Amino acid sequence: MPEMSGISLTTRADVREAAARVNLVDARLNQARREARVDLSLQGGYSHAQLRFPLRGVDAHGMLMPIEQVVHTALIGARVSLPLWNRNQGTIEALTAERAGATDTLAARERQARAELDTALLQDREARRAIEQYSAIRELARQNVDVFLESYDLGRATLADVLIEQRRYLDVETGYTALLARAYDATVALRLARGETR
């Protein structure tokens, strides 16, 4: 089964289902081919039966003897199946076409899984990188608020300047929160692409 970036695609339910369908069609195709060949089966058996009656009979010497009989039966048989008119050609052709379709479906699902995995890996990597870069911006915005607060305490900035800088800081925090949500969605999409969650 194909792997991408060290991750096996066999954990995905859609890929496993398509592979199972190919295996099922293969088994049906093999059965149809076996049924189309000459088949010889041998059978045998043995049985032992003892028959008794609650009566007595007289033997050749005039003595009373129980009436009983032991029967041994051996059976041997052979069965030959000759598919002269029915060689399952139609069934075999239909199953061959079905197998080709199932194989194409499997290949398409594997390509789709690889594409989804590549996209999810890229989105996850970009989201993590954006969070790292945004952390520096958050710290700078926080420092700017502190500077404006100190400037206000010293009388060099107005209250409006402090409020504007705090508004900028809140905008940065709102953007960071949105970025965290995007990173979470990217992580969930990556887990789905790997087949780790359903």
Side-chain angles (χ1 to χ4, degrees):
M1 195 61 63
E3 292 190 9
M4 191 66 183
S5 305
I7 300 166
S8 174
L9 297 178
T10 57
T11 56
R12 288 183 54 119
D14 55 345
V15 175
R16 283 196 328 257
E17 185 270 334
R21 188 171 300 279
V22 170
N23 291 337
L24 175 65
V25 173
D26 280 343
R28 290 172 50 206
L29 186 58
N30 288 336
Q31 179 183 2
R33 286 181 178 150
R34 275 195 310 272
E35 289 173 355
R37 291 188 293 223
V38 174
D39 185 30
L40 172 67
S41 60
L42 298 175
Q43 298 173 341
Y46 169 78
S47 66
H48 168 82
Q50 186 172 9
L51 304 173
R52 287 194 165 178
F53 298 98
L55 303 172
R56 295 196 175 261
V58 180
D59 65 0
H61 302 292
M63 301 286 295
L64 286 174
M65 304 257 329
I67 301 174
E68 63 184 2
Q69 181 179 7
V70 176
V71 178
H72 299 278
T73 306
L75 299 172
I76 297 176
R79 187 177 113 191
V80 179
S81 175
L82 298 171
L84 297 177
W85 293 279
N86 181 13
R87 294 191 182 181
N88 283 344
Q89 293 100 335
T91 304
I92 290 172
E93 289 299 320
L95 288 172
T96 302
E98 187 178 340
R99 187 190 189 288
T103 303
D104 290 345
T105 300
L106 175 61
R109 290 209 182 145
E110 288 171 349
R111 282 191 302 272
Q112 179 183 359
R114 270 191 230 106
E116 288 175 6
L117 184 58
D118 286 344
T119 302
L121 283 169
L122 181 63
Q123 288 175 346
D124 187 61
R125 185 171 51 233
E126 292 301 318
R128 289 176 190 275
R129 187 180 315 159
I131 286 175
E132 289 174 12
Q133 293 173 352
Y134 221 85
S135 295
I137 295 170
R138 285 179 67 220
E139 182 59 32
L140 185 60
R142 182 73 206 141
Q143 289 173 3
N144 285 346
V145 169
D146 291 341
V147 167
F148 270 89
L149 284 173
E150 286 179 19
S151 296
Y152 177 74
D153 288 342
L154 296 174
R156 294 189 177 177
T158 65
L159 182 59
D161 293 335
V162 172
L163 292 176
I164 290 171
E165 198 56 38
Q166 285 181 337
R167 174 67 182 170
R168 287 183 188 147
Y169 175 70
L170 289 176
D171 289 343
V172 169
E173 285 295 325
T174 302
Y176 183 70
T177 304
L179 190 59
L180 286 176
R182 201 172 104 206
Y184 176 78
D185 291 342
T187 302
V188 169
L190 180 59
R191 292 189 62 160
L192 285 170
R194 287 177 174 165
E196 295 173 0
T197 57
R198 294 183 177 94

